[in-house]
Amino acid sequence: AAARLDVQAMSASVGQSGEAAFDLELKLLLEAIFERYHCDFRGYAMSSLRRRLRQAMDRFGVASLSLLQDRVLHDAHALPILLDYLTVQVSEMFRDPTHFLALRRDVLPILATYPSLKIWIAGCSTGEELYSMAILLEEEQLLDRAILYATDVNDEALRKAEAGVYALDRVAGFSESYAKAGGKNSLSDWYTAAYGSVVFDRRLRRNVVFSDHSLATDGDFTQTHLVLCRNVLIYFDRELQDRAIALFEQSLVPRGFLALGSKENLRVSSHAPAFDTFDRRERIYRKRRMSNVE
């Protein structure tokens, strides 16, 4: 019995040692990516990174993160592939439709009082949220006087967003959410279907600026009236979340709006005092007139 306990203890110790080595290699990999390519993922949540980097090891066919690091440092073509694992490219049009209904019903009428609008979609991924917002603005006759900044750290995701092409089998879900979000027509009015895909109308991106941007290292977009950053902060650690919210505060005009994801809020941020809660259920906040936090 004592021998069995010793073996179990040794196995547990080896397992803990292996996890510690993996985490050390993970931190070294992130440092290497930052130094070599100036892409900063050091503030991303470790639990999520562990899972996704194990998937990346399978994709690259390597047995350790040290070998993955060697591959990324010496093969520039490896980084775009790895970015698909380091950044979460999961999005849907009108995801959480009650959120977009609240934007349509409660936020856009206020924004309509401005002569022109700037909207920042931070972490736009492959563009589903961008086109959702553009359709909302067009249907409320606001798109012509709006500029939308669609940003992401992943260049390949930005190219897909700019193309506006999505698999046809996703459209039924898009259409259902569009209707629940108060859509005024049929979603099919906004795209053309061919060869198993749909292409969204180029008119929807006529006032869109696509830009590579990292919430970890880059600055703000000044004088914006609405910032959408939904389901991005959940992948950041507390420090990086606080940095991102600071950027949003600096970017927004007084009384501008910040829209977060359903599992995100400002409660733990040191910048929370800069905002009022506009819609608690839908995670929509409004910047105060005097918002500087000492």
Side-chain angles (χ1 to χ4, degrees), residues 23-41:
D23 284 353
L24 176 58
E25 287 184 308
L26 191 157
K27 292 175 182 177
L28 292 172
L29 171 62
L30 299 183
E31 287 288 348
I33 291 172
F34 177 68
E35 291 294 331
R36 178 71 173 83
Y37 298 105
H38 308 292
C39 295
D40 194 352
F41 296 97

Side-chain angles (χ1 to χ4, degrees), residues 90-122:
V90 177
S91 188
E92 298 288 334
M93 289 196 70
F94 298 97
R95 178 164 52 173
D96 304 319
T98 56
H99 182 92
F100 284 91
L101 181 61
L103 291 176
R104 182 194 295 272
R105 183 187 58 212
D106 302 323
V107 174
L108 291 191
I110 297 173
L111 296 185
T113 65
Y114 291 89
S116 62
L117 297 173
K118 290 183 179 178
I119 297 172
W120 179 14
I121 302 176

Side-chain angles (χ1 to χ4, degrees), residues 117-122 124 127 129-138 142-151 203-211 221 224 226 228:
L117 297 173
K118 290 183 179 178
I119 297 172
W120 179 14
I121 302 176
C124 73
E129 192 165 79
L130 163 66
Y131 291 102
S132 302
M133 195 67 224
I135 289 170
L136 224 64
L137 291 167
E138 183 78 326
L142 293 174
L143 187 57
D144 279 334
R145 50 183 163 121
I147 296 176
L148 288 79
Y149 299 101
T151 69
R203 292 176 299 163
L204 292 173
R205 53 184 183 272
R206 62 184 180 270
N207 293 335
V208 178
V209 177
F210 294 92
S211 178
F221 287 79
T224 55
L226 169 63
L228 275 81

Side-chain angles (χ1 to χ4, degrees), residues 12-76:
S13 176
V14 170
Q16 292 170 359
S17 175
E19 287 298 313
F22 185 90
D23 284 353
L24 176 58
E25 287 184 308
L26 191 157
K27 292 175 182 177
L28 292 172
L29 171 62
L30 299 183
E31 287 288 348
I33 291 172
F34 177 68
E35 291 294 331
R36 178 71 173 83
Y37 298 105
H38 308 292
C39 295
D40 194 352
F41 296 97
R42 297 172 298 176
Y44 281 50
M46 286 289 287
S47 58
S48 178
L49 286 174
R50 289 188 193 103
R51 182 178 64 256
R52 287 183 273 150
L53 284 172
R54 284 192 171 97
Q55 294 170 351
M57 287 167 56
D58 290 339
R59 167 65 176 79
F60 283 92
V62 295
S64 70
L65 287 180
S66 294
L67 292 173
L68 179 59
Q69 176 178 311
D70 182 76
R71 181 81 169 269
V72 171
L73 289 179
H74 295 96
D75 180 1

Side-chain angles (χ1 to χ4, degrees), residues 164-182:
V165 179
Y166 303 102
L168 185 60
D169 60 10
R170 302 179 66 194
V171 172
F174 292 173
S175 298
E176 182 179 351
S177 295
Y178 165 74
K180 292 179 179 177

